[in-house]
Every structure is written in structure tokens, then in C-alpha cells.
Amino acid sequence: MTKAAAPQPYLRRRGRLTTAQARALGRLSGRYLVDLPETAIDAGFWRGVFGRVGPLAIETCFGNGAALAHLAKSHPTWNCLGVDVYRPGFGALILACERDGLDNVRIADAEVLGLLRRLEPGTVHRVSAFFPDPWPKKRHHKRRLVNEDFAAAATACLEVGGTLHLATDWDDYAAQMIDVLDAAPDLAGGVTGRSERPVTPFEAKGIAGGRRVVDLAYRRLAPGRVAP
């Protein structure tokens, strides 16, 4: 009997803009896309971008934006920023914001790590990365988003008590995430229940393929404080 192949993770592919997405970008880019400064980014910059003061939540590699739109709708007082380079995702998120009348969402067309490193320390309430590309081949593991550099940058920009939320359907990547984040001196947390998000297409593909979804949540500790 031929042994069944192990289910594979769902990998994000670059896609083409639909007509609706292209139109949304054409009409509403000025409203939703952020023109980032080339230097350090302080809290005052976000007050200008969103036109108000509020907790800043950042979702990296947000895909079609469903989770970010859900977060913005559930927390109308939060300022929600999506960071990605996936243009069809920009269009999909803008369409969702227009449909639901969301004015607390903005999009940064930027490389994640570079942006996190430029943020003023202690100014972000939440950072999330749901189903980042697992780069399953061992020789490609160095391309994974969640590593020591990402952990350091995310920790630095989080306010004390702020949270880092992650999810993956790739067991090896989940183990790597846990090893990296458990070693971060100013973070405390681990495996948790399902995070606050709808079922994403990546998650649905993983579940359908028999993959286990792992959610992680870590809290930013005060400098020098030891996790209980």
C-alpha cells in the first residue's frame, strides 16, 4: 500500500488584482495607504495618520485583510495598521473597509522588520502575524519572518502589557516560534486558545488538509521583570 503524503501547508501566492480591487485602490489609496517617513516613526505620526489618539494594533503579512477588518470592527477605538507588500490584499482590505464603514484602518506598503525597527519604542498595543509563510524547506528556514530579529523588534515597539499574537499551521514553524519567543527576555506567554480573528483562507486550507493550527500569545513585560 502506498503511504499517503503528509498534508502540506497553504502557501501564499502572488495573485493578480481583481477589477474591483484595482478600482478600490485607484479610488481610495489616498485614504487608506500610509505615506511613511524615511526616518524614525514616533507616536505623533500615527495621531496624524488616524486623526486621533488610540491604541495602535499592527498586523503583519495580513493576506486578504479579513482578520484586520474584523479586529477594527470589534475595537472601533483602536487604530489598526496592516503591513504587507501584497497588492491584491490591499485592494481586498480596502473593499472590506468600504463595505463596513471602517475608518480606523490604514495600510503600510512596507517590509515588516524594517518598519518595526523604525517605530518609537513602547508605542504599539498589539502586533500580530497570522499564518506567515512557513518556508517549509529546511534550506529556506532563514527566510521565515519569526526569528530572533523579529522578536527583538516586536518586543521593542510594544508598550508594557502589549501583546504579540501569532498563528501557524506548520508544526515545525510553531516550535521555532516558541523557542524564539520563550528566549526573549521581556516577553511572557506561549500556546493559547484561538486568537480573535475569523477563519482565514490560509487557516481553512490547513484545517481541510488535516493540519493542526497553533495560536501563540506573548505579553510585553516591564524591563527587568521576570515572567511569573
Side-chain angles (χ1 to χ4, degrees), residues 31-54:
R31 177 178 176 184
Y32 290 103
L33 264 64
V34 178
D35 186 11
L36 294 171
E38 297 181 359
T39 56
I41 305 171
D42 61 19
F45 175 77
W46 301 116
R47 286 195 293 271
V49 166
F50 288 94
R52 65 180 189 174
V53 175

Side-chain angles (χ1 to χ4, degrees), residues 4 7 17 23 28 33 58 62 72 89 99 108-109 112 119 135 162 177 180 182 189 206:
L17 286 162
R23 287 175 177 169
L28 298 170
L33 264 64
I58 297 176
F62 60 81
R99 180 192 65 228
D109 185 352
V112 172
L119 296 176
W135 294 103
M177 291 176 176
V180 166
D182 281 355

Side-chain angles (χ1 to χ4, degrees), residues 14 33-37 41 46 58-62 81-87 90 107-116 118 145:
R14 284 212 171 264
L33 264 64
V34 178
D35 186 11
L36 294 171
I41 305 171
W46 301 116
I58 297 176
E59 182 177 345
T60 70
C61 310
F62 60 81
L81 177 71
V83 183
D84 209 327
V85 294
Y86 184 61
R87 300 292 290 183
F90 296 179
I107 300 168
D109 185 352
E111 184 272 325
V112 172
L113 188 58
L115 175 61
L116 293 180
R118 290 162 56 204
L145 172 68

Side-chain angles (χ1 to χ4, degrees), residues 129-149:
F130 299 135
F131 305 96
D133 194 327
W135 294 103
K137 294 182 180 180
K138 189 172 182 178
R139 67 178 183 272
H140 293 155
H141 284 185
K142 61 186 178 182
R143 301 180 184 178
R144 288 175 168 175
L145 172 68
V146 183
N147 55 25
E148 290 81 0
D149 290 338

Side-chain angles (χ1 to χ4, degrees), residues 24 121 127 134 140 178:
V127 175
H140 293 155
I178 292 168

Side-chain angles (χ1 to χ4, degrees), residues 18-214:
T18 67
T19 300
Q21 290 168 355
R23 287 175 177 169
L25 279 169
R27 290 186 296 111
L28 298 170
S29 289
R31 177 178 176 184
Y32 290 103
L33 264 64
V34 178
D35 186 11
L36 294 171
E38 297 181 359
T39 56
I41 305 171
D42 61 19
F45 175 77
W46 301 116
R47 286 195 293 271
V49 166
F50 288 94
R52 65 180 189 174
V53 175
L56 179 62
I58 297 176
E59 182 177 345
T60 70
C61 310
F62 60 81
N64 70 358
L68 189 60
H70 177 81
L71 183 72
K73 192 172 184 178
S74 301
H75 297 277
T77 63
W78 289 17
N79 295 329
C80 301
L81 177 71
V83 183
D84 209 327
V85 294
Y86 184 61
R87 300 292 290 183
F90 296 179
L93 178 54
I94 289 173
L95 285 172
C97 291
E98 185 179 33
R99 180 192 65 228
D100 294 336
L102 301 175
D103 195 38
N104 59 331
V105 174
R106 298 293 186 273
I107 300 168
D109 185 352
E111 184 272 325
V112 172
L113 188 58
L115 175 61
L116 293 180
R117 284 173 167 166
R118 290 162 56 204
L119 296 176
E120 181 182 356
T123 56
V124 181
H125 182 65
R126 168 172 162 161
V127 175
S128 58
F130 299 135
F131 305 96
D133 194 327
W135 294 103
K137 294 182 180 180
K138 189 172 182 178
R139 67 178 183 272
H140 293 155
H141 284 185
K142 61 186 178 182
R143 301 180 184 178
R144 288 175 168 175
L145 172 68
V146 183
N147 55 25
E148 290 81 0
D149 290 338
F150 172 83
T155 301
C157 72
L158 283 171
E159 64 190 17
V160 173
T163 53
L164 173 61
H165 292 256
L166 304 169
T168 182
D169 64 343
W170 186 250
D171 284 341
D172 176 69
Y173 200 2
Q176 176 182 326
M177 291 176 176
I178 292 168
D179 287 345
V180 166
L181 299 177
D182 281 355
D186 294 326
L187 291 177
V191 177
T192 187
R194 178 181 174 77
S195 184
E196 180 184 11
R197 67 173 190 280
V199 176
T200 69
F202 310 107
E203 184 174 7
K205 286 282 188 178
I207 293 171
R211 301 203 65 82
R212 179 176 70 106
V213 174
V214 178

